[in-house]
Amino acid sequence: FYFYQVGFHYQASLDIFVKDTTKITIVDATGNTILDGDQARGSYQLTGQAPFQVNIDKASNVSLDLNKQPIKLSNYAQNDKANFTLKP
């Protein structure tokens, strides 16, 4: 059994609900793209290494929880576009 911490990266969960088709790109700390392109209406459960680089074209169409905590996308959005680093 081996336990190691990779810098400040650790597993985190993202729960995303899309109200209407929206372009979303999310890349985790390892450079893994965990969501990319136009996302149809629906719910998405993702996991990856935090922090995440998040790009959302229509932030008003999306709700996002990090580790079950709601993230207020309006705090990050300009002209309904959100481009930010998300970390727990």
Side-chain angles (χ1 to χ4, degrees):
F1 177 76
Y2 295 98
F3 176 80
Y4 62 95
Q5 185 178 356
V6 186
F8 294 105
H9 308 162
Y10 57 91
Q11 198 75 3
S13 68
L14 293 171
D15 292 292
I16 301 168
F17 179 72
V18 179
K19 288 185 274 194
D20 196 11
T21 302
T22 303
K23 185 169 192 240
I24 304 173
T25 304
I26 301 176
V27 179
D28 80 358
T30 66
N32 236 355
T33 301
I34 56 176
L35 195 64
D36 189 26
D38 287 335
Q39 307 306 319
R41 177 185 171 90
S43 296
Y44 302 84
Q45 283 79 38
L46 309 169
T47 57
Q49 302 291 315
F52 300 96
Q53 191 59 46
V54 180
N55 262 302
I56 302 172
D57 263 8
K58 291 188 186 122
S60 58
N61 282 344
V62 177
S63 39
L64 172 65
D65 291 358
L66 173 64
N67 295 330
K68 306 296 182 200
Q69 299 298 310
I71 302 300
K72 196 168 181 183
L73 292 176
S74 58
N75 291 347
Y76 301 100
Q78 286 186 310
N79 300 323
D80 211 19
K81 293 186 187 302
N83 180 359
F84 61 99
T85 300
L86 182 60
K87 50 189 164 206

